Amino acid sequence: MLLACILGAVVLTYTMSKYQEVLTELQTQKAKFDAIEYKISPGIIAQSASLDGKQRISVGGTFEENRKVPEMHKEFKPESFYQDKAAIPDYKIKLQTLIDQKVPADNPDLVNIIRNHYIEQPSQEPYKLLNPERVDYSQGQTPFIDSRLNYMEGGFYVECGALNGEKGSNSLFFERVRKWNGLLIEGDPTNYAELKKINRKAFSINACISPRATPFKAKFHKAFNMGRAIHDAQSENWVKRNHKNKDLVEMECFPLYSLMLALNRTTIDFFSLDVEGDEVNVLKTIPFDKLNIKMMTVEYAHGGAGGADMQRFLQSKGYEVVLKVSKDNWGVNDLIFRKKGVADGSTI
């Protein structure tokens, strides 16, 4: 299993068996690759950014500051807001009218419908995780971003392609350990039902993120971690190319900006985007002059050219690539971006 790291001019590919050797090399080059080491509180089992789900590294004692120590026992009460379910009793009819009119993402009626009828509140019940002993559920993206945001507490994340809320989650660490609020977006109703069962402390929505700057409805192809919205010839061809049997359900698709306005948020500390091929189209809908997104991890595998188009676009919007994460079994193929001006440890 391979993990490719791009840190400025440093390009390294390594296996977990050579972790210590590569770590030393990165530290020598002042790359600050301390991301997957944690000082662990008693009783917490730590897992590294495991590449094959089996290998583990015993970690601990690296960080001295208390705020860098994972503290999953710390009390956390997630944000919530008042929803007026009676405000628009015929909201589905109204939404269809807005879709037909192709209203912009900041349309007040659209935002109100999303806020009052589609977004679900964070659970106030105890977690029911399948693997509650784990610290990190990601493929390595989470600890890297955690270190680059200086182990920040109280931030806000958006995870699009949230799956069942636990498997491969890039946000669960920030929720449980760093006590972040966030939004989980999942288009597959079956996955979403499983997500709701584990009592995530985050806002959530069972909808597609729109690859257009307007809301619309699309057939969603259900395929666990390979589901996606089918809305044009390219997405139709994707289903054929991947030899997937169609299991379709109609879903609403909302622009990210609409969702953030519904939450009254304009800052996202960490945005995780994995929508099986629509990533660049989704990114092009974002008004980066209105939304402050500090760091992103974005799947690039379906866009061709190693994510070159994605890189060019985000560089034009003021972002730089700080890490490339990939596995030789295609389990993960992400580029991690950071907004220029957001230095390590910055809170702007």
Side-chain angles (χ1 to χ4, degrees), residues 17-266:
S17 63
K18 293 187 177 181
Y19 167 78
Q20 290 296 341
E21 176 185 335
V22 175
L23 179 61
T24 301
E25 176 66 16
L26 285 166
Q27 289 172 334
T28 300
Q29 298 182 51
K30 299 181 180 179
K32 299 181 180 179
F33 196 71
D34 54 11
I36 56 176
E37 294 191 352
Y38 289 102
K39 177 182 176 183
I40 303 302
S41 299
I44 296 178
I45 299 175
Q47 282 192 292
S48 70
S50 176
L51 296 182
D52 65 1
K54 298 178 181 179
Q55 294 173 308
R56 299 188 183 189
I57 294 176
S58 177
V59 298
T62 302
F63 304 137
E64 296 303 326
E65 297 89 335
N66 288 334
R67 67 194 189 89
K68 295 181 182 179
V69 179
E71 295 183 87
M72 292 190 291
H73 62 276
K74 186 176 179 181
E75 184 178 357
F76 172 54
K77 185 175 182 180
E79 291 181 357
S80 61
F81 60 80
Y82 172 73
Q83 291 177 298
D84 187 355
K85 298 290 187 181
I88 309 177
D90 55 349
Y91 72 92
K92 290 190 175 182
I93 297 174
K94 178 63 174 178
L95 176 60
Q96 186 60 56
T97 299
L98 298 176
I99 289 173
D100 293 340
Q101 294 174 347
K102 297 183 179 180
V103 298
D106 61 355
N107 178 274
D109 290 334
L110 173 64
V111 171
N112 284 333
I113 288 174
I114 295 171
R115 179 179 177 86
N116 290 309
H117 296 282
Y118 282 89
I119 290 177
E120 295 195 67
Q121 303 278 356
S123 175
Q124 302 296 327
E125 299 299 318
Y127 285 113
K128 293 183 179 180
L129 300 172
L130 298 175
N131 298 284
E133 77 283 356
R134 294 188 66 172
V135 175
D136 175 31
Y137 296 78
S138 76
Q139 301 277 2
Q141 303 95 316
T142 294
F144 181 84
I145 292 193
D146 183 40
S147 70
R148 293 313 178 268
L149 290 176
N150 199 28
Y151 318 98
M152 171 185 177
E153 295 186 351
F156 189 87
Y157 65 79
V158 173
E159 183 164 18
C160 184
L163 206 61
N164 65 1
E166 181 173 353
K167 181 178 175 60
S169 175
N170 290 330
S171 64
L172 186 51
F173 170 89
F174 292 108
E175 180 181 306
R176 295 179 74 205
V177 178
R178 302 298 181 212
K179 312 309 175 186
W180 288 24
N181 289 284
L183 171 65
L184 301 170
I185 306 169
E186 175 54 46
D188 187 326
T190 302
N191 290 343
Y192 188 76
E194 295 302 308
L195 182 156
K196 295 299 291 183
K197 290 179 181 178
I198 64 173
N199 297 333
R200 288 288 300 265
K201 308 298 182 278
F203 297 107
S204 60
I205 184 168
N206 185 199
C208 305
I209 193 166
S210 179
R212 307 171 188 171
T214 60
F216 71 101
K217 289 184 179 179
K219 297 295 184 181
F220 189 89
H221 170 63
K222 298 169 60 180
F224 190 53
N225 65 340
M226 292 187 70
R228 66 168 298 172
I230 309 300
H231 58 89
D232 58 13
Q234 183 181 14
S235 52
E236 284 279 1
N237 290 334
W238 181 92
V239 174
K240 296 176 183 178
R241 197 165 57 246
N242 287 276
H243 307 290
K244 296 293 180 181
N245 294 322
K246 287 187 178 180
D247 184 3
L248 303 178
V249 60
E250 186 175 69
M251 297 299 297
E252 293 83 1
C253 300
F254 300 118
L256 177 65
Y257 189 44
S258 303
L259 299 174
M260 297 308 295
L261 290 176
L263 291 172
N264 197 27
R265 287 269 183 179
T266 57

Side-chain angles (χ1 to χ4, degrees), residues 148-150 320 338-348:
R148 293 313 178 268
L149 290 176
N150 199 28
E320 59 186 349
R338 179 170 57 191
K339 189 174 184 179
K340 293 178 181 177
V342 179
D344 290 350
S346 172
T347 57
I348 68 170

